[in-house]
Amino acid sequence: MSLVEQLPMNTPALRPSRRILITGGAGFIGSNFVHYWCKHYPGDRIVVLDALTYAGNRDSLADLIGQSNFRFVQGDICDSNCVDLLLAEEAIDTVAHFAAESHVDRSILAPDAFVRTNVVGTFTLLDSFRQHWSNRGKPESDRFLHVSTDEVYGSLGPNDPAFCETTAYTPNSPYSASKAGSDHLARAYFHTYGMPTLITNCSNNYGPYHFPEKLIPLMAINILMGKSLPVYGDGQNIRDWLYVEDHCSALDRVLHRSAVGETYNIGGNNEVKNIDLVTMICDLMDELAPNLPVRPAGELITFVKDRPGHDRRYAIDSTKLQTELGWQPSVTVAEGLRHTIQWYLENPAWWQPLLSAEYQEYYQSVYA
Ligand code: NAD
Ligand code: TYD
């Protein structure tokens, strides 16, 4: 059941239908966005382009495959032929670009894939869309939404004001540096070619369909398996948690209401220290999960070697989005976390196959 009851600004009856390409639609946020869009705009044509890397999962879209308004294409955003063909064949008027390598720890181990997909792939997509948009006569209503991260702004001290849209870019990890590069390209395509780009920078998302390598699912799954809960460093790092459906409703506002060329920050107003979040997860698991191998789950918490270059604090100021487009996050971290934990408890068939031999190898290399 949806936690976000706020209605989108554009009811289907009042808007012309769109033909939207969603890249990375088999990933965490992308698949949530696909579901959100199908639900709110059932008259739209929805095309997903996803390479199905380790992070992409067809099962996250299983209920949509076969629907007449939905198409899934397995393909690489770095493949300009594939992108050109798809844009033309489907007469795409809107791109929502989520495809990326997204995990900081993997970017430390092997940054090359991050530069390839996040920088070169975003460039390929922007340039294909430029040609396509031009071939279509540059319609005013076309949009290219580039989804990015607050990590491009670097790290905050405890008393620094939250990141706003004018905060200088200071990316610290190969992941955030590659996303910063892609943001600059998206901005340049607006300023140079007048292409109708939009950029959003959001804080840490959480919710259903989140790959097990990320903090929240990793802790929940480890508790179920009685494995230790690896908290990096002193656990005092702060993240601003955004429930994924709130993120989707913000992107909806930006796509429908923003002027072209704008950037919006999206945050959950939920700043939490890692150790406090892990403790909340342990408490929820103690309450909701039967037959835990170790109870209380908090006994599994283990402080481990810190992540190299670990950013201390992220916090988002989304005043611009709130005042200009009327968006508010509606899910508190307590509500969203409960819903998320319940989802993982009810859906082992989704996450168990992801704990593959390849994933175990990755896990060993980070947590050895
Ligand atoms: P994810 O890793 O769960 O999913 C990424 C998807 O992109 C996967 O389905 C993968 O198969 C696909 N993909 C990867 N390389 C591709 C390529 N070359 N061609 C086509 N598809 C490819 O990521 P996510 O967490 O859903 O993040 C989505 C977007 O949001 C990313 O751009 C990320 O930088 C951004 N973002 C994420 C968060 C977060 O908390 N998860 C926060 C801020 C911004
Ligand atoms: P993560 O989910 O990887 O997101 P990001 O690095 O993009 O913020 O991590 C969230 C926070 O949790 C981050 O400060 C790193 C920390 N963390 C741990 O302490 N242990 C872990 O095993 C993981 C995956 C993350």
Side-chain angles (χ1 to χ4, degrees):
M1 241 247 285
S2 167
L3 280 187
V4 177
E5 291 305 326
Q6 120 196 8
L7 276 176
M9 296 305 293
N10 298 272
T11 56
L14 300 177
R15 75 192 261 289
S17 62
R18 285 193 168 264
R19 304 184 65 87
I20 183 166
L21 176 69
I22 302 175
T23 73
F28 163 48
I29 305 174
S31 62
N32 278 281
F33 185 77
V34 171
H35 283 111
Y36 175 96
W37 207 263
C38 285
K39 179 173 155 201
H40 291 289
Y41 305 111
D44 283 7
R45 172 73 169 162
I46 295 164
V47 180
V48 167
L49 175 63
D50 196 297
L52 294 181
T53 66
Y54 80 93
N57 190 347
R58 244 181 226 273
D59 290 349
S60 305
L61 302 170
D63 51 329
L64 302 173
I65 290 173
Q67 279 191 16
S68 59
N69 65 337
F70 178 79
R71 178 177 171 196
F72 178 83
V73 176
Q74 182 172 1
D76 190 333
I77 57 164
C78 300
D79 177 351
S80 59
N81 289 335
C82 164
V83 176
D84 288 347
L85 209 80
L86 200 56
L87 290 174
E89 195 175 277
E90 291 286 352
I92 294 298
D93 54 40
T94 306
V95 175
H97 174 37
F98 296 89
E101 289 292 337
S102 70
H103 193 42
V104 173
D105 291 320
R106 287 189 193 252
S107 85
I108 295 166
L109 290 170
D112 42 352
F114 288 72
V115 174
R116 182 182 179 276
T117 288
N118 300 357
V119 182
V120 179
T122 300
F123 160 72
T124 307
L125 210 56
L126 283 164
D127 212 53
S128 288
F129 191 75
R130 175 167 75 94
Q131 191 59 54
H132 172 71
W133 175 64
S134 182
N135 293 346
R136 282 165 47 77
K138 303 186 175 180
E140 272 185 24
S141 55
D142 280 12
R143 292 291 182 272
F144 185 109
L145 169 65
H146 172 64
V147 177
S148 191
T149 170
D150 59 356
E151 302 191 25
V152 297
Y153 298 121
S155 184
L156 292 169
N159 300 316
D160 288 337
F163 302 130
C164 61
E165 288 78 0
T166 51
T167 302
Y169 273 36
T170 320
N172 290 321
S173 72
Y175 164 66
S176 54
S178 67
K179 291 297 289 187
S182 63
D183 293 10
H184 292 321
L185 283 166
R187 184 170 293 109
Y189 269 64
F190 168 70
H191 284 285
T192 307
Y193 305 113
M195 210 172 95
T197 63
L198 302 160
I199 301 172
T200 54
N201 297 87
C202 69
S203 57
N204 285 63
N205 281 223
Y206 68 105
Y209 303 114
H210 208 178
F211 192 80
E213 68 194 353
K214 299 282 171 38
L215 178 72
I216 292 173
L218 185 142
M219 296 296 163
I221 291 168
N222 279 16
I223 291 169
L224 286 173
M225 295 165 70
K227 286 175 68 173
S228 69
L229 308 179
V231 175
Y232 295 157
D234 62 4
Q236 299 296 306
N237 303 64
I238 293 174
R239 297 294 181 262
D240 174 0
W241 293 94
L242 172 65
Y243 191 65
V244 66
E245 211 179 335
D246 270 336
H247 183 199
C248 293
S249 74
L251 298 178
D252 182 347
R253 297 279 165 128
V254 172
L255 269 169
H256 282 110
R257 290 227 154 169
S258 169
V260 295
E262 288 291 338
T263 292
Y264 287 95
N265 281 357
I266 310 172
N269 287 344
N270 282 312
E271 275 190 65
V272 187
K273 286 180 184 157
N274 288 344
I275 186 62
D276 295 338
L277 191 79
V278 173
T279 303
M280 287 169 78
I281 297 169
C282 290
D283 292 347
L284 278 167
M285 291 294 283
D286 286 338
E287 180 192 333
L288 300 173
N291 307 321
L292 287 181
V294 176
R295 194 187 287 274
E299 284 177 8
L300 294 167
I301 292 174
T302 312
F303 291 93
V304 300
K305 177 170 59 86
D306 209 354
R307 171 189 279 174
H310 194 179
D311 286 339
R312 195 66 174 166
R313 173 178 166 236
Y314 301 142
I316 279 269
D317 177 352
S318 46
T319 306
K320 182 179 172 191
L321 182 58
Q322 295 183 23
T323 54
E324 291 185 6
L325 306 188
W327 174 86
Q328 295 269 11
S330 67
V331 179
T332 65
V333 80
E335 293 163 343
L337 206 52
R338 177 174 288 271
H339 187 73
T340 304
I341 296 298
Q342 260 159 352
W343 189 87
Y344 278 88
L345 290 174
E346 287 162 13
N347 291 280
W350 181 85
W351 56 261
Q352 271 167 350
L354 304 177
L355 309 180
S356 60
E358 188 193 10
Y359 179 68
Q360 301 305 337
E361 199 180 311
Y362 157 77
Y363 196 94
Q364 287 308 319
S365 58
V366 175
Y367 299 99

